Structures are given as C-alpha cells and as structure tokens.
Amino acid sequence: MTIVKPSTLPGFLELLPGDQILFNEMIDTIRKNYEAHGFLPIDTPVIEKSEVLLAKGGGETEKQIYRFQKGDTDMSLRFDLTVPLARYTAEHFNELAFPFKRYQIGKVYRGEKAQKGRFREFYQCDIDTIGNGSLSILNDAEIPVIIYHTFKDLGFDKFIVKINNRKILNGFYRSLEITDTVSVLRTVDKLDKIGRDNVIKELIEIGVAEDKAEKIMAFTAIGGTNEEILAALKAFGITDSTFEEGLDELKTVVDAIAAYGVPDTHYTIDLKIARGLDYYTGTVYETELVGYESIGSVCSGGRYEDLASFYTDKKLPGVGISIGLSRLYYQLSQAKLIEAKKKSLVDVLVIPMDGLELEGIKIIQQLTQAGVAATLYAEQAKMNKKFKFADKLEVPYTLVVGETEVAQGIFGLKHMQDGTQEDMTIEAIIAKLKK
Amino acid sequence: MTIVKPSTLPGFLELLPGDQILFNEMIDTIRKNYEAHGFLPIDTPVIEKSEVLLAKGGGETEKQIYRFQKGDTDMSLRFDLTVPLARYTAEHFNELAFPFKRYQIGKVYRGEKAQKGRFREFYQCDIDTIGNGSLSILNDAEIPVIIYHTFKDLGFDKFIVKINNRKILNGFYRSLEITDTVSVLRTVDKLDKIGRDNVIKELIEIGVAEDKAEKIMAFTAIGGTNEEILAALKAFGITDSTFEEGLDELKTVVDAIAAYGVPDTHYTIDLKIARGLDYYTGTVYETELVGYESIGSVCSGGRYEDLASFYTDKKLPGVGISIGLSRLYYQLSQAKLIEAKKKSLVDVLVIPMDGLELEGIKIIQQLTQAGVAATLYAEQAKMNKKFKFADKLEVPYTLVVGETEVAQGIFGLKHMQDGTQEDMTIEAIIAKLKK
C-alpha cells in the first residue's frame, strides 16, 4: 500500500494531548467568565454564503479568504466572528432581547502568509453587546471588567487594559483642522519606534504645520494617572463637541470600571491607542501583559456605530472585544509563561496482573462511581511495560491488582511522581482521592 | 446602502441562544464523561491536505467533500474525525502513549443533499482507543460503559446499546460457504422492512441455497437474554475458527460490561447489527432510544483492524464510537424529548432607576464577587421597557435599584416566573442565590 506522509497544512496549529488539555482549560476559563457576566453563547456556521460574508467587500482581508464553489453555491469560510455576528443579529433580530450580549468561541480562517506565530486557522473568543438603536456607554465599562477577571483567572497577575476614546482623537484633530487623520494617526503610531523628532519631521512632510505637529506631540505626551489624564485633557483647551463627548464617555467608562471593583493597577487611559481606524467610533481597548509588551495586544476591541448596516436598516451600535487565543497560546508557550501541567485527565491507572482484568474493572467501577476518575490498563504485558505506559501517560497514581491484593482487599496506591506507595483499602483510596 | 439578505446556507444548523445553551450543556456532558474515563482531547484542523484526507480515496464520501484550491494548495474540509485521527496518530506516533485513548468533539463537513434532519456541517463526538500492534478486547467493553454513563447524564433513562461481533457473522457465513457476504447481509438487513419470507426469496434470488437461507433465518432469529444468545450460538454447531473467536470476544465484552456495573437493561447482544460493512472487523455497536427506534442509532461504532494503514506501516488496531450530536439534537428537539430550559446564564438582572447606574454596578460587584452571576440593564428607559427586557431574557430574578432602596440597603428581589418579590439586603440575596 502506498503510504501518504501524515502532515497538516502549514499555519495550522495542532497540539499534543497534554498541551490540548491546557488549551481547553484556557477556553473553559474564558467561557466561564463570559457567561458569568450574562453573555449568551452562539455558534454560527464556519461556512457562509460568499455574498453575505463579503457584503462589506474589499480590503486586505478579502484576498485571505478561503472561498470556493460547491455545485452552484459560492461559499466562504468565516475570517472573523464579527461579520457572522452581524448577519446573526440581523437575521434573528425579532427573537433576540436587546441589548443582546453574546459570546462566541470558535475557529476562523485566513489564508495569510505563513509565518511564525501566525495561523491560518485560529480561535477567536469574542464578546459583544449590541444595542437596538442606542447603547449606553456603561456597556463599554463592562468589557474591561470581564477581561480583568478573565486574565486573572487565566493565571496572570500583571497585565493592563489600555483604554481610549476615538472621539477624543477625532475631536482633537478636527479642532486642528486636520482632515487626513488616518495618515496623522499612522505617523503618531510610530512614536515608540522612531522617536519624537522623527514623528514631527514626518508629520510636517505630510503637510501638518509645525505648531500643530508640536501640539499633536504635546497631546500625545499627556500621561499620568487616569485622573491626571482626564484633567489634562480638560485643561488642553479644546472646544469641539466630539472631543467633549469623548471626554465625557471616557470619564464615565473609567468611573464605572472603578465601581465594578477593578483595581486601578489593571486599567489605564492611554491616548495612543487607536485601533482599526475606520471601524471603531468611540471607546477602544488594548491589553498588554506587563513585561511582555513585545507580544503586542493580547485582547483588543472597542465601540462601533453600527454592526449590521449591510444586512438591515436597523441601527445596531455595539461594543466588544476579542481574544485571539491560538496566537496568545502560542506566544505564551514560546515565552514559557504557560506550560502543560498534566498529561492525564484521570487520577488512577488500574494495572491488573494478567488474568485479573475483571477484578481490575470492578475496582474501576467502585472508584468511578465514587467520583474518582480511573481507567484500566487492559493489555497483557510485562509489569515494566505497564509501568512504562503509566510513566508516559503521567498519570498521578497507579494501583496494581494482584491475587494477594484481591484476597486481602488491600491495594498499593503508587504516587508516580515521587515513587512512594501506600497500601490501602479501596474505601481509603476513595477518601484520599475524592475531590 | 444595498442590503444583503442575512441568511445561512441550507443544511447548516444555527441555534438561538437558549437552544445553544442546551446544546452546549450536552457537549459538556459528553466531554465530562469521555474525560472521566481517561480519554484525552485532541483538536485537529478543519482543513487538511486533500492528498492526506483522501488517501483512502473513492467511495460515496468523496463526492460530498468540500475540496478547493488556495494558491497551489489542494485542501479539503474534514468529513469525519476518524481520518484526521488516523493522520494524527501516525504523525505523532512517537509522542503518544499506547493504548492511545482520545476524544474529539468538533464540526465535520459533508455536502450531502439537503434534507430535513441532515446537516452539511455537524458535530461529531468521538472516542477511540488505539493500540500499538495489538489491543485487548477489554477495551471494546469500555466503550458501551462510557456511552451508558453519557446517555444517563444526558437525561435519558430508556436506551439500549446493541452489541454484536462481525467475526460471528463472518464465521457463520463462511461455514455456509457463502462468499458474497455483503449482498447476503444487505438482504438480511431488510428483515424488519420486508419480512422473513421475502428475505428468503431474495436470498434464493442472489444464489443462496434454500436450506442455507433457512439456516440464515434461524441464525438471525436467535434472541433472548445475553446468556441465552451466547448459549444458542454455541449450540448452533458451527465449527469455524473466526466464529469461535467472535463468540469468545463477545462473551468477554458482555461479561466485562457487567463487571463495569452497567445494568443488563441497557445493553444487549443483537445479531442483526452489522455496521459499515468493510470497515469494522470485530465488535460493533448501535444505540437506540427505547420508544424512539425510528430515529435510528444515536451512537454507533466498533472495532477496526488497522486505523492508519494509509499513513504508516505500524499496525494500529482500534475501537471507537461516535455521537452525531447535531442530528441527535435536531431529532430530540423535533420529538420534544429535549427543550431549552433557560435562556439566561445569569441569576440576577440588576435594573437601576435612571441616574443610579453606578449604584447598580456596585451591587453587581458585590453579587459577582460572592459568586452570584449578575448583569446590569444599563439603558435609560421606562421601567416597563426594562422589565420587558427581563421577560424576554427569561432571567430568574430582577433587582431594582432606586433611591429608597440604596438609602435603606433593602432591595426587592423579584422572582420573574411567579412574580413574587422579597425585600432583602444584598447579603441575604447572596445567601439565597449562592450555589
């Protein structure tokens, strides 16, 4: 028979079981937090009609989409969970309660150039709150609260959610009568990389007057505590309605986050945060792991004006955030910030001597019925082969079933990591291992 | 702006949040049971190289596959979880401990003709135990045990796992010197539909001698308790080594299932079960919901000789079973055997009077910190609109935050289903609702 080399496509993450256990635990933690805050699950198809998925059309993303024909149907794999959310919300509008809080955790597909840490299939873990017609700014405060609890539960101590409001940026630039905000923001974004002087130089090159470039830099340099930043913005002397609206919103969001009990060590106003320039219209978020800023934002999002204008006349403003879990997992592993801790999901591997398998099964029945997860090594083999398996599986405990053990009702429970063994009754083993 | 009608492709199941909660609970139950028996998670890519996925080639399935090009790459969506398991086991062979017990719960894709209850994207929930070179027959007993506990936990009382062994069938037909077993089995399979006499007629038509056809019918008619069937098979007087091997295996499996503590009301030998004629080689399973036999088998599988012969020279015998969850969910819903019980994942919706939102947030903080899931209705609106939202969400409790309530520290906790209200402190509410 011809052997085909077993391999996956480049850019597709696949984990060994021990790593998969860890990955699944991360998903469970994210899901638990999303649900605890009232977000409801949805699970849209991976394949959508191309005309629906690409209703917005154009852009870099389109080239990356996996699109194909089957029969007469033109279909595409989803490239994010936001477009499907828009389609879902418009399609099921009458059956949903608004504000509609939904989460979705699922795989999305982008035929990007293969490179380290970039995946063509990756998990996104999204939450969004969608309003019908309008949506209170307080919803923008809930998002960082959930992210705070999620990252805490994921085991992180030092991280910070950075918050800004696009209206402040837009209002500020409008007050300077700068129309090509996109180019200006892109230039300002390079501040950390090329430094203040080069940014000013580039700003002048794209047509910004020098005094305005200085003002932009002064604006960008505003820092300090959240209170200090809000005071500095107020004192900056800009009279622009959008700016003032943004400032109000930002203050409301920051105050509400405090009311939600998030310590101020874990969220901060950062006027440099802008995010996807044409999509977000108000609050924007990024999240950094302190000490690992080079990873980039591990969780980003913001407020948008209208979710589903391609699918409905209804105005559906929303606010949301997304954790790109596959990339995050990969980077955390590379940085040795996470590590698979267990390779086995059971507590006990029951190893019967050859011929005593049914006795082993009866013990498993007692253990599992009492809530101790256990499984049988059922193969006939030499004892050292059986223990080699236990070692490779990294099961916490083994229990050997021999004739003497069965006759006496006393079994050796071996702790595999330190090699110690205790001779115990099944009842005592259950008492010891039951959670 | 042009509006594109928001819709999904035919044959793709998409649920409203309340139904999705139920669906997810079913997945959780299945996963919990698979894990409790030592099965390890894997999560293979949805897209595989076509040459890998189609290594086996041919067959009905190939036409149904979603296959496409992206750049130079010929890729396909997985149509089951078995072929990816074969590829995975061969690819990661050296890193796995054998017997390798894995579960996978994920979506698979088949471009079938769209019809009621048939899906083009559907969840499969698979467990398989893979041996290296050989695999004890006792592993075949563990599978129905897991299915028993899973379906019990899913809330079913009356179901039965039907068990057979292909070696008994093969040995029996060999002893009759029947070579075209496939055609014979296909004919015998019609017994329930066309009746005994017509089956005999058809058997004779395809060349089976009349006395042999009668013997086939006598064999097929063997019934009774497991012990009675095993005795009848022994007494049938067939001297064929394969038959005897199958009989031994079946007896071992049935005895081991009993040792695992499964009541004999929930598993039975059924000599009519054959399953995918060319794939399974030993034990085979089907599962029926008693009273809903028309749904067909809700969970099927069996023993196979060699999992990954297309990817490796290593012989990897295995045994496994699969729950086709999307189809099962759909059929159970249609039969009204399951129903979404809750539409909300939080216990309390906090409804602040306009202007008291921050007070509402502080209450949410107290509740959630104490482990009571709660969320805020943050929109400014008339009270009846706020309660309409609570009704549509089907949240168990609401808590109104007004000035009097805040001043006195006493809040009305309204039970939405029966309309009763208790005035309580936050501490008392926590004590009442904390799980």
Side-chain angles (χ1 to χ4, degrees):
Chain A
M1 187 177 289
T2 319
I3 300 285
V4 176
K5 193 186 164 226
S7 64
T8 53
L9 288 158
F12 286 73
L13 183 68
E14 180 169 270
L15 303 173
L16 287 170
D19 298 319
Q20 191 67 52
I21 289 172
L22 175 61
F23 190 92
N24 290 358
E25 282 174 355
M26 293 176 77
I27 288 186
D28 292 343
T29 299
I30 293 167
R31 175 182 165 194
K32 192 193 71 180
N33 275 282
Y34 287 179
E35 291 190 349
H37 289 88
F39 287 73
L40 296 169
I42 70 168
D43 182 11
T44 64
V46 166
I47 311 178
E48 299 253 7
K49 291 178 185 172
S50 295
E51 62 164 316
V52 170
L53 206 64
L54 302 173
K56 196 177 175 181
E60 260 312 292
T61 322
E62 192 159 350
K63 282 182 238 157
Q64 299 179 347
I65 289 172
Y66 292 101
R67 180 177 181 170
F68 53 95
Q69 292 269 133
K70 177 92 182 165
D72 295 335
T73 314
D74 179 355
M75 45 184 82
S76 296
L77 304 190
R78 66 187 181 204
F79 54 90
D80 70 8
L81 300 177
T82 304
V83 178
L85 170 65
R87 193 264 310 143
Y88 183 99
T89 310
E91 183 174 347
H92 304 294
F93 180 83
N94 290 322
E95 292 140 304
L96 301 173
F98 289 91
F100 173 44
K101 294 184 174 186
R102 88 84 179 79
Y103 79 89
Q104 184 167 6
I105 297 173
K107 290 175 169 180
V108 304
Y109 297 83
R110 291 187 196 170
E112 295 200 75
K113 268 193 189 154
Q115 52 179 307
K116 226 181 153 190
R118 285 272 167 192
F119 298 104
R120 291 172 173 169
E121 173 187 75
F122 56 97
Y123 276 93
Q124 284 198 332
C125 311
D126 281 21
I127 36 173
D128 288 84
T129 303
I130 312 298
N132 179 9
S134 66
L135 183 70
S136 163
I137 182 70
L138 288 172
N139 293 289
D140 299 39
E142 194 184 26
I143 303 286
V145 173
I146 297 165
I147 292 309
Y148 167 73
H149 289 293
T150 302
F151 275 81
K152 274 279 179 191
D153 280 1
L154 283 172
F156 296 102
D157 265 337
K158 294 186 177 172
F159 61 90
I160 196 151
V161 184
K162 298 177 162 190
I163 303 162
N164 195 10
N165 192 305
R166 291 292 308 275
K167 291 179 186 168
I168 293 177
L169 296 177
N170 293 342
F172 170 72
Y173 287 107
R174 195 165 66 180
S175 77
L176 294 184
E177 292 169 320
I178 283 171
T179 46
D180 186 9
T181 322
V182 174
S183 301
V184 170
L185 284 178
R186 200 171 285 150
T187 308
V188 174
D189 254 1
K190 300 183 195 166
L191 186 61
D192 286 347
K193 278 189 199 150
I194 65 174
R196 189 179 188 280
D197 291 352
N198 285 317
V199 169
I200 292 180
K201 220 173 106 187
E202 283 198 22
L203 285 174
I204 294 170
E205 276 168 23
I206 61 170
V208 178
E210 192 172 348
D211 63 323
K212 287 181 179 174
E214 291 285 355
K215 205 158 183 187
I216 290 169
M217 296 324 289
F219 177 80
T220 307
I222 294 175
T225 65
N226 293 336
E227 289 68 32
E228 286 166 355
I229 294 172
L230 290 169
L233 284 172
K234 220 175 171 62
F236 214 70
I238 293 160
T239 50
D240 175 279
S241 61
T242 304
F243 180 90
E244 281 158 11
E245 204 180 308
L247 191 50
D248 272 355
E249 288 185 0
L250 191 57
K251 186 173 161 29
T252 304
V253 167
V254 165
D255 288 348
I257 295 173
Y260 268 118
V262 177
D264 60 11
T265 43
H266 285 75
Y267 66 101
T268 187
I269 299 173
D270 185 334
L271 299 177
K272 287 193 288 296
I273 304 298
R275 305 295 317 156
L277 296 170
D278 56 352
Y279 185 59
Y280 295 113
T281 53
T283 311
V284 281
Y285 320 98
E286 290 188 357
T287 312
E288 269 182 5
L289 301 181
V290 178
Y292 297 87
E293 290 78 3
S294 62
I295 288 179
S297 175
V298 293
C299 178
S300 312
R303 159 77 74 143
Y304 38 88
E305 208 59 34
D306 200 357
L307 174 72
S309 56
F310 299 98
Y311 309 121
T312 176
D313 288 333
K314 302 234 161 38
K315 198 185 163 212
L316 303 171
V319 61
I321 206 163
S322 178
I323 302 174
L325 188 60
S326 302
R327 186 154 183 259
L328 177 62
Y329 174 89
Y330 176 82
Q331 288 170 317
L332 295 177
S333 309
Q334 294 293 105
K336 307 238 182 282
L337 281 172
I338 53 169
E339 204 183 357
K341 275 181 206 77
K342 54 179 177 184
K343 285 193 179 177
S344 169
L345 289 169
V346 293
D347 303 310
V348 184
L349 178 71
V350 173
I351 302 179
M353 308 281 262
D354 287 359
L356 291 172
E357 288 82 7
L358 279 192
E359 296 299 330
I361 287 174
K362 286 176 195 160
I363 288 166
I364 286 183
Q365 202 251 330
Q366 287 177 269
L367 294 174
T368 51
Q369 198 165 32
V372 175
T375 188
L376 184 77
Y377 185 84
E379 310 312 300
Q380 302 224 335
K382 292 207 173 114
M383 259 317 177
N384 71 342
K385 191 179 170 193
K386 294 181 178 180
F387 273 97
K388 253 192 185 161
F389 172 78
D391 276 335
K392 193 157 187 184
L393 196 68
E394 292 184 19
V395 66
Y397 294 94
T398 55
L399 186 160
V400 171
V401 182
E403 276 177 28
T404 322
E405 285 86 348
V406 173
Q408 298 179 347
I410 304 285
F411 299 86
L413 185 73
K414 188 173 176 187
H415 189 266
M416 291 303 286
Q417 208 173 359
D418 62 21
T420 57
Q421 181 168 320
E422 281 181 273
D423 293 328
M424 303 166 87
T425 62
I426 296 300
E427 292 70 28
I429 291 169
I430 288 169
K432 181 185 169 81
L433 297 184
K434 199 175 170 178
K435 270 147 205 157
Chain B
M1 186 175 291
T2 318
I3 301 284
V4 177
K5 191 183 165 230
S7 64
T8 52
L9 289 159
F12 286 72
L13 182 70
E14 180 169 87
L15 303 173
L16 287 169
D19 298 319
Q20 191 67 52
I21 289 172
L22 176 61
F23 191 90
N24 291 357
E25 283 174 353
M26 293 176 77
I27 289 186
D28 292 343
T29 300
I30 294 167
R31 175 182 166 195
K32 193 193 71 178
N33 274 283
Y34 287 179
E35 291 190 348
H37 289 87
F39 286 72
L40 297 169
I42 71 169
D43 182 9
T44 64
V46 166
I47 312 177
E48 299 253 7
K49 293 178 185 172
S50 294
E51 62 164 314
V52 170
L53 207 64
L54 302 174
K56 196 177 175 182
E60 259 312 291
T61 321
E62 190 156 351
K63 283 183 237 157
Q64 300 180 346
I65 289 173
Y66 293 100
R67 180 176 181 171
F68 53 95
Q69 292 268 134
K70 178 93 183 163
D72 295 333
T73 314
D74 180 355
M75 46 183 83
S76 296
L77 305 189
R78 65 186 180 204
F79 54 89
D80 71 7
L81 300 176
T82 305
V83 178
L85 170 64
R87 194 265 309 144
Y88 183 98
T89 309
E91 183 174 349
H92 304 294
F93 180 83
N94 290 321
E95 291 140 304
L96 301 173
F98 289 90
F100 172 45
K101 293 184 175 187
R102 88 86 178 79
Y103 78 89
Q104 183 165 9
I105 297 172
K107 290 175 169 180
V108 304
Y109 297 84
R110 292 186 197 171
E112 293 199 77
K113 268 194 188 152
Q115 51 178 307
K116 224 181 156 189
R118 283 276 165 188
F119 298 104
R120 291 173 172 167
E121 174 186 73
F122 56 96
Y123 277 93
Q124 285 198 331
C125 311
D126 282 21
I127 36 171
D128 287 85
T129 303
I130 312 297
N132 178 8
S134 66
L135 182 69
S136 162
I137 183 69
L138 289 171
N139 293 288
D140 299 39
E142 194 183 26
I143 302 287
V145 173
I146 298 166
I147 292 310
Y148 167 73
H149 289 293
T150 303
F151 276 80
K152 273 278 177 189
D153 279 2
L154 284 172
F156 296 101
D157 263 337
K158 294 186 177 171
F159 60 90
I160 195 151
V161 184
K162 297 178 165 190
I163 303 163
N164 195 9
N165 192 302
R166 291 291 309 276
K167 290 178 186 169
I168 293 176
L169 296 178
N170 293 342
F172 171 71
Y173 287 106
R174 196 166 65 180
S175 77
L176 295 184
E177 290 170 319
I178 284 172
T179 45
D180 186 6
T181 321
V182 174
S183 301
V184 170
L185 285 178
R186 201 172 285 149
T187 308
V188 173
D189 255 1
K190 299 182 193 167
L191 185 61
D192 286 350
K193 278 188 201 151
I194 65 174
R196 188 179 189 280
D197 291 351
N198 284 317
V199 169
I200 291 181
K201 219 173 107 189
E202 282 197 22
L203 285 174
I204 294 170
E205 275 167 26
I206 61 169
V208 179
E210 194 174 345
D211 63 324
K212 286 180 181 175
E214 291 287 354
K215 204 158 184 187
I216 290 169
M217 296 323 289
F219 176 81
T220 308
I222 294 174
T225 64
N226 293 336
E227 288 67 32
E228 286 165 354
I229 294 173
L230 290 170
L233 285 172
K234 219 172 170 63
F236 214 70
I238 292 159
T239 48
D240 176 280
S241 61
T242 305
F243 181 89
E244 282 157 10
E245 202 180 310
L247 191 51
D248 272 357
E249 287 184 3
L250 190 58
K251 184 174 164 28
T252 304
V253 167
V254 166
D255 289 348
I257 294 173
Y260 268 117
V262 177
D264 60 12
T265 44
H266 284 75
Y267 67 101
T268 187
I269 299 173
D270 185 333
L271 299 178
K272 285 194 287 295
I273 305 298
R275 306 288 324 150
L277 296 170
D278 56 352
Y279 185 59
Y280 295 114
T281 53
T283 311
V284 282
Y285 319 100
E286 290 190 357
T287 312
E288 269 182 4
L289 301 180
V290 178
Y292 296 88
E293 289 78 5
S294 62
I295 287 178
S297 175
V298 294
C299 180
S300 313
R303 159 75 74 139
Y304 37 89
E305 207 59 33
D306 199 356
L307 173 71
S309 56
F310 300 97
Y311 309 121
T312 175
D313 288 331
K314 300 233 162 39
K315 199 187 160 210
L316 303 171
V319 62
I321 206 162
S322 177
I323 302 174
L325 189 60
S326 303
R327 185 152 184 259
L328 177 62
Y329 174 89
Y330 176 81
Q331 289 170 317
L332 295 176
S333 310
Q334 293 294 103
K336 306 240 183 280
L337 280 173
I338 54 169
E339 204 183 355
K341 275 180 206 79
K342 52 180 180 186
K343 285 192 177 176
S344 169
L345 290 169
V346 293
D347 303 310
V348 184
L349 177 72
V350 173
I351 302 179
M353 308 282 263
D354 287 359
L356 290 173
E357 289 82 4
L358 278 191
E359 297 297 333
I361 287 175
K362 284 175 196 160
I363 288 165
I364 286 184
Q365 202 250 330
Q366 287 175 267
L367 292 174
T368 52
Q369 200 164 33
V372 176
T375 189
L376 184 78
Y377 185 84
E379 311 312 301
Q380 302 224 335
K382 292 208 172 112
M383 258 317 176
N384 71 343
K385 191 180 169 193
K386 294 182 178 180
F387 273 97
K388 252 192 186 161
F389 172 78
D391 276 334
K392 193 158 186 182
L393 197 67
E394 293 185 17
V395 67
Y397 295 95
T398 56
L399 185 160
V400 171
V401 183
E403 276 176 29
T404 321
E405 284 85 348
V406 172
Q408 298 179 346
I410 304 284
F411 300 86
L413 186 73
K414 188 173 174 187
H415 189 265
M416 290 303 286
Q417 208 173 359
D418 63 19
T420 58
Q421 182 167 318
E422 282 181 271
D423 293 328
M424 302 166 87
T425 62
I426 297 299
E427 292 69 27
I429 292 170
I430 288 169
K432 183 186 168 80
L433 299 182
K434 199 174 170 178
K435 272 144 204 158

